Amino acid sequence: MDTKLKKYKNIKSNKVLINILVIIILLVSSLGVVKSYKNIDNTKIDENCLNKKEVATYFTRNYYNLYWNMKKNTEGIHNPSELFLNEKDIDIYLKDIDLTVKKDDVKNDFNRAFFEHEDGFDSNEIIKYNVYNKLNKKTYANEDKDLKYIREYDLDKKNNNKINELKQKYLLFATVDFNNNGEATIKSLHGADKNNYQELENYNNTINSEITSDNYFNKYSDDYMKYSLSPIKDTVITIGITKNDAKTVFKNIYTYEYSDYLSNIISGSKIDSYRQIVGYSVSIMIIFAILGLILPNSIRNNILGMDKITKIPIEILFIIASIILSFFIAFNPVIFVNSTIEDILKYELLNVLPITNGISEIIIVIINLLYWMLLFAMLFMLGIYIRNMLFSKEDRKTIFRSSIIVKLIKWMKKQIKAFLNWINKLDLKDGREKLILSCLAINFILIVICSIMWGFGIILAVIYTIVLYKLIKKKTAKVFDDYDKLEKITKDIADGDFKEISDEDLGIFNPIKENLQNIKVGFSNAVNEEVKSQKMKTELITNVSHDLKTPLTSIITYVDLLKKEDITEEERKKYLETIEKKSNRLKFLIEDLFEVSKATSGNITMNPMKVDVVSLIKQTIVELEDKLNASHLKIKTDFPSEKVILELDNMRTFRIFSNLISNISKYSMPYTRVYISVKKEEETTEIEFKNISAEELNCNVENLTERFVRGDKSRNTEGSGLGLAIVKSFTELQGGKINISSDGDLFKVNLTFKNK
């Protein structure tokens, strides 16, 4: 017990140490990620970041939208088709189209397509714009002061403090002048090379000067309808991005809704820093997942409660994992890190909790550590779980056994099997089954008829209901009448009246009536058994008294004789031998009684082991050879050539064979043969003892296994009457069976044991 307790404590101690080590590794890994946040803090905006052809393309894509909004606000134009389509273009579009299409249809389709393709930044406060109408001198802008000055001033002039101030303020500005022919010229450009922004002047030769429609005309053609936009005329467009606005985009790249395209360009260096952290954290996650896959079996399930997690249904684990995954999608590492660096988490904590600035910083560090530890732990546990499913047969069985879907499938298979079994056993010759199925079939047909007959079906349903009510009422009355008769029978039995039960038909209660008849017979048998039991108890007491009293009386008598002074030494020795003999008999009798009492009550421990029953029988014969020779008996054996090995208690089995052979030596007719055979079948081994009885068997041989029951009714032979009782108890305790029978004077005992 102490060894097991010590072993248990060692296992528990090792489990705690392993978990502490894993938590330390998770904590150190998380500290490494949190420490790498400094790389993002140290990144700075590149003031030459907008000097790219892609940025020029981005601005060009918005020309027509700005031009349209300027015309709408300064000249009152209502539809884009008035500005970008002319009659000649419309005639070209209609050339190959069905003549039922009108010009207004083309204009409406163009307007719809233009608004669908509209991709402007006129509502974006980060991009400053100023669109000037040279015809009416009006402006459409979200920044009028600075961009107006830039539009009107010639940058080639030197030593202008205002322009120098604007160059310091703006990361980029550009002014493009469109003449009355639609030709564009870059008047001013700061923050980019003109060669990279050449597309600003070639805007009308790009894909941005076309829009595509697949709506109205798809009924006439499988092709898309492409509309070419008329050039921008008599307009000056000035665009600018201040350094402060660019820094705002840079700072809030993952938390503020700006153009992804422009944000990626402005914040390229910061994005690279984020990518480094993501790459670093992903590498750690992969390492933890691989570690979970390669851990040895001895410690794998002792980590982070994996032994209990494995037993949770996989469906529930999937739901929990989905919830956690949703959390990490909503608060992905980039957003989480950005919220930490930009003090968004800090402000939220200060608004919610009454804490100081210093305490909030400590809490934020703890939150970040827990965030990464949870993420790494999930990948680590996922690796262990996958390892359990793929490589551990026992864990895989546990996982599948706990699965709700597997349990549901098993339940469904069981129900289907039960249904098929019911179908197989369905006896259409049985009146009840036939009646039920017939009623259901008729009911189904009538319901179908009522359903398909609409209004008349309602009348038919009423008639059907009335008829059904009459039939049910009649059947119910019969059932209640039969029930009353059955209740009277049960009341008579309860009152002790066991007269013959009537053969009257009770319908569905006939099986219960038959059971009551069986109860009557069974009760009578039980009374007979009780009488028999009481009689055997009386005989038991009588036999015990006799078998204990006889040797005890002899002992007392010879003790009294020893007290006499006039006895000779030879007589004294004779009396002492008799006392010793009777004492030993009394001792053996008490030991047998104690042994059979323990066996009967089950208060005995069996020690099964591999026993060669043939060898054990031979050993028993050798040990009892003197008794057999004294009775002039000859043993004939029939044993298999090979060993017969059974799982038995060696000591108790020897006692079984010893008692049987001892009984044979006592009660067999002298000068006869005794037959002992062992026969091994496929599943059982049968051991048989046969002998010729010296006295006539004037009792029921089946009762010989009862305590103190002997074939010698006069009880003159030595014996406790417990030998066969012990044989029976020890045989049954080892899963065997004993059968005693006689054929005239031939007495047989059969022992049967299972081979496995």
Side-chain angles (χ1 to χ4, degrees):
M1 180 68 182
D2 291 339
T3 305
K4 289 183 178 179
L5 185 61
K6 186 176 180 181
K7 186 177 180 181
Y8 171 75
K9 287 182 177 179
N10 289 337
I11 293 172
K12 189 174 181 181
S13 176
N14 291 337
K15 184 176 180 180
V16 172
L17 289 174
I18 290 170
N19 278 281
I20 290 173
L21 180 62
V22 170
I23 291 171
I24 291 172
I25 294 172
L26 290 171
L27 180 60
V28 171
S29 302
S30 302
L31 279 170
V33 176
V34 173
K35 192 175 180 181
S36 66
Y37 290 2
K38 292 182 180 179
N39 295 334
I40 298 177
D41 279 335
N42 296 331
T43 55
K44 294 181 180 180
I45 190 169
D46 180 6
E47 295 194 1
N48 198 36
C49 63
L50 297 179
N51 186 21
K52 294 179 174 65
K53 292 181 179 180
E54 293 86 359
V55 182
T57 301
Y58 173 73
F59 290 146
T60 306
R61 191 167 65 239
N62 289 275
Y63 272 179
Y64 285 98
N65 179 59
L66 290 173
Y67 181 56
W68 150 248
N69 280 287
M70 181 273 289
K71 286 290 187 177
K72 181 175 67 173
N73 285 277
T74 61
E75 296 181 12
I77 296 176
H78 296 93
N79 295 305
S81 58
E82 300 175 35
L83 184 63
F84 297 111
L85 281 181
N86 54 51
E87 296 296 325
K88 183 179 179 181
D89 291 334
I90 295 174
D91 290 336
I92 293 173
Y93 297 141
L94 292 176
K95 183 177 180 182
D96 297 323
I97 304 299
D98 192 294
L99 295 176
T100 57
V101 179
K102 299 179 181 178
K103 291 184 178 181
D104 287 342
D105 296 328
V106 176
K107 291 179 181 179
N108 291 334
D109 182 66
F110 173 84
N111 293 332
R112 181 200 57 76
F114 181 84
F115 290 124
E116 281 186 359
H117 287 77
E118 187 178 20
D119 187 22
F121 47 67
D122 54 319
S123 61
N124 190 333
E125 296 179 359
I126 297 302
I127 310 296
K128 307 299 183 185
Y129 57 87
N130 186 293
V131 187
Y132 177 68
N133 189 335
K134 292 194 288 186
L135 297 178
N136 57 17
K137 313 299 182 186
K138 292 183 179 181
T139 303
Y140 170 73
N142 66 353
E143 208 299 314
D144 192 44
K145 187 176 179 182
D146 290 344
L147 297 188
K148 179 181 178 182
Y149 192 87
I150 291 170
R151 184 186 77 227
E152 294 177 348
Y153 191 79
D154 185 358
L155 290 183
D156 292 335
K157 293 181 180 180
K158 299 180 180 179
N159 299 323
N160 187 305
N161 292 332
K162 177 66 175 176
I163 289 297
N164 291 333
E165 180 184 335
L166 291 175
K167 286 181 178 180
Q168 291 298 318
K169 181 178 180 180
Y170 281 82
L171 184 66
L172 172 104
F173 59 73
T175 301
V176 182
D177 190 345
F178 300 85
N179 62 22
N180 58 356
N181 293 321
E183 297 172 348
T185 304
I186 298 176
K187 286 184 60 179
S188 62
L189 180 65
H190 164 69
D193 188 345
K194 190 173 182 180
N195 291 329
N196 292 332
Y197 272 61
Q198 201 64 42
E199 190 173 333
L200 296 181
E201 295 180 341
N202 299 327
Y203 74 98
N204 207 31
N205 295 323
T206 66
I207 194 172
N208 297 320
S209 63
E210 292 181 344
I211 61 173
T212 304
S213 170
D214 61 348
N215 185 23
Y216 184 76
F217 290 101
N218 63 0
K219 67 178 80 172
Y220 304 108
S221 172
D222 294 333
D223 296 331
Y224 296 112
M225 176 64 73
K226 289 186 178 180
Y227 296 103
S228 296
L229 303 178
S230 298
I232 300 171
K233 298 178 181 179
D234 298 314
T235 302
V236 180
I237 298 177
T238 305
I239 296 171
I241 300 175
T242 67
K243 292 181 179 180
N244 286 335
D245 288 338
K247 287 178 181 178
T248 303
V249 175
F250 175 78
K251 183 177 181 180
N252 298 296
I253 176 68
Y254 289 105
T255 56
Y256 206 88
E257 294 183 1
Y258 298 122
S259 167
D260 291 338
Y261 182 77
L262 189 62
S263 297
N264 288 338
I265 293 173
I266 294 175
S267 303
S269 57
K270 187 174 183 181
I271 291 172
D272 289 339
S273 298
Y274 277 115
R275 286 171 180 166
Q276 289 176 7
I277 290 181
V278 171
Y280 175 56
S281 59
V282 168
S283 299
I284 295 176
M285 285 187 273
I286 292 172
I287 291 171
F288 273 110
I290 294 172
L291 186 61
L293 283 169
I294 64 175
L295 276 176
N297 295 339
S298 57
I299 62 172
R300 188 173 68 247
N301 285 334
N302 289 328
I303 297 175
L304 303 177
M306 285 304 298
D307 53 341
K308 295 180 177 62
I309 291 174
T310 303
K311 297 175 183 177
I312 299 175
I314 191 171
E315 295 80 8
I316 295 176
L317 285 178
F318 179 78
I319 293 171
I320 295 172
S322 299
I323 294 171
I324 296 174
L325 182 63
S326 300
F327 168 78
F328 282 113
I329 291 174
F331 299 95
N332 65 70
V334 175
I335 292 178
F336 189 77
V337 172
N338 189 76
S339 299
T340 301
I341 292 173
E342 305 303 337
D343 292 333
I344 297 172
L345 279 178
K346 180 179 178 181
Y347 296 143
E348 291 292 335
L349 284 174
L350 291 173
N351 289 333
V352 174
L353 301 174
I355 55 177
T356 63
N357 189 60
I359 294 175
S360 69
E361 290 179 355
I362 294 172
I363 294 174
I364 287 170
V365 172
I366 294 172
I367 291 173
N368 275 266
L369 289 175
L370 291 175
Y371 177 90
W372 290 109
M373 286 179 71
L374 177 61
L375 191 58
F376 296 153
M378 276 191 63
L379 270 295
F380 184 47
M381 294 165 75
L382 179 62
I384 295 174
Y385 197 83
I386 292 173
R387 165 67 183 266
N388 287 344
M389 286 195 68
L390 295 179
F391 303 108
S392 175
K393 186 177 180 180
E394 191 62 33
D395 288 330
R396 187 163 59 248
K397 285 182 179 179
T398 302
I399 291 168
F400 280 100
R401 274 199 300 265
S402 63
S403 170
I404 296 173
I405 293 175
V406 171
K407 289 180 179 178
L408 183 61
I409 291 172
K410 287 182 177 179
W411 179 83
M412 290 178 65
K413 286 175 66 178
K414 185 178 179 181
Q415 298 304 313
I416 292 171
K417 187 176 179 181
F419 175 74
L420 294 175
N421 189 44
W422 174 77
I423 292 293
N424 289 332
K425 292 182 178 180
L426 188 62
D427 185 8
L428 295 179
K429 295 180 180 179
D430 187 341
R432 288 171 298 176
E433 296 284 359
K434 194 173 182 180
L435 178 63
I436 292 171
L437 292 175
S438 299
C439 290
L440 287 175
I442 293 169
N443 185 66
F444 174 76
I445 293 169
L446 290 173
I447 290 174
V448 171
I449 292 172
C450 291
S451 301
I452 62 177
M453 295 187 69
W454 298 96
F456 185 72
I458 297 175
I459 300 172
L460 188 61
V462 172
I463 297 171
Y464 169 61
T465 304
I466 294 171
V467 173
L468 189 62
Y469 168 75
K470 294 288 186 182
L471 292 173
I472 293 174
K473 183 178 180 182
K474 181 179 179 181
K475 187 65 177 177
T476 305
K478 175 69 169 60
V479 170
F480 278 110
D481 183 52
D482 292 339
Y483 176 79
D484 291 338
K485 293 176 182 177
L486 181 66
E487 187 178 25
K488 184 178 182 305
I489 293 172
T490 55
K491 187 175 182 303
D492 290 341
I493 293 174
D495 293 338
D497 184 1
F498 286 93
K499 65 183 180 181
E500 191 69 27
I501 297 174
S502 172
D503 292 333
E504 185 179 0
D505 181 30
L506 295 184
I508 62 172
F509 299 112
N510 278 329
I512 300 176
K513 184 187 74 171
E514 292 173 2
N515 287 336
L516 290 174
Q517 288 174 333
N518 294 335
I519 289 172
K520 174 182 173 297
V521 174
F523 188 81
S524 298
N525 293 335
V527 170
N528 293 334
E529 287 295 324
E530 181 63 24
V531 171
K532 179 182 176 183
S533 176
Q534 290 297 331
K535 183 179 178 182
M536 290 186 68
K537 286 179 182 178
T538 303
E539 290 180 357
L540 175 62
I541 294 170
T542 302
N543 293 335
V544 170
S545 300
H546 178 273
D547 287 345
L548 291 176
K549 185 178 179 181
T550 300
L552 190 59
T553 302
S554 298
I555 292 170
I556 294 170
T557 300
Y558 283 101
V559 169
D560 289 339
L561 290 173
L562 284 172
K563 291 179 181 179
K564 293 181 179 182
E565 296 179 356
D566 57 345
I567 62 174
T568 64
E569 189 62 30
E570 184 179 348
E571 288 176 327
R572 185 184 301 278
K573 288 181 180 180
K574 182 179 178 182
Y575 295 161
L576 286 172
E577 288 176 0
T578 304
I579 290 172
E580 183 181 15
K581 182 178 179 182
K582 298 298 181 181
S583 298
N584 287 331
R585 172 167 168 70
L586 190 60
K587 174 189 173 185
F588 294 143
L589 179 63
I590 292 171
E591 286 178 350
D592 283 352
L593 181 61
F594 182 67
E595 194 76 29
V596 78
S597 297
K598 285 200 302 180
T600 304
S601 63
N603 187 24
I604 188 170
T605 303
M606 307 302 287
N607 299 300
M609 62 181 68
K610 295 185 184 301
V611 175
D612 182 358
V613 292
V614 172
S615 178
L616 191 59
I617 292 172
K618 289 178 180 178
Q619 178 187 340
T620 309
I621 293 171
V622 171
E623 293 194 11
L624 296 175
E625 188 174 8
D626 291 343
K627 288 186 177 183
L628 293 168
N629 290 337
S631 299
H632 306 288
L633 299 174
K634 188 173 183 180
I635 303 296
K636 291 288 186 178
T637 60
D638 181 13
F639 298 149
S641 56
E642 70 277 2
K643 292 183 178 181
V644 179
I645 306 297
L646 300 179
E647 287 281 342
L648 300 171
D649 185 311
N650 186 70
M651 185 179 69
R652 266 74 185 206
T653 307
F654 176 79
R655 184 68 182 276
I656 291 170
F657 298 153
S658 176
N659 282 7
L660 289 173
I661 296 174
S662 180
N663 275 2
I664 288 171
S665 68
K666 291 177 186 177
Y667 302 113
S668 291
M669 180 181 290
Y671 302 101
T672 59
R673 295 183 183 88
V674 176
Y675 296 91
I676 303 174
S677 65
V678 176
K679 186 177 181 182
K680 186 173 183 181
E681 303 289 347
E682 184 176 349
E683 295 183 357
T684 60
T685 295
E686 185 176 305
I687 305 169
E688 185 178 59
F689 297 83
K690 294 190 292 186
N691 67 288
I692 303 297
S693 176
E695 301 290 337
E696 182 182 355
L697 296 172
N698 54 2
C699 67
N700 186 353
V701 292
E702 294 179 358
N703 293 334
L704 291 178
T705 56
E706 300 296 333
R707 287 169 288 182
F708 291 101
V709 175
R710 293 163 63 179
D712 178 17
K713 289 293 183 179
S714 62
R715 311 186 74 81
N716 292 322
T717 57
E718 283 201 12
S720 63
L722 297 171
L724 289 180
I726 292 172
V727 169
K728 179 183 179 183
S729 298
F730 285 176
T731 300
E732 291 178 348
L733 283 172
Q734 298 185 93
K737 294 180 182 179
I738 180 171
N739 180 46
I740 298 177
S741 62
S742 64
D743 185 3
D745 292 334
L746 180 63
F747 184 78
K748 292 189 292 184
V749 177
N750 283 81
L751 303 177
T752 305
F753 294 100
K754 293 181 180 178
N755 292 336
K756 293 183 180 179

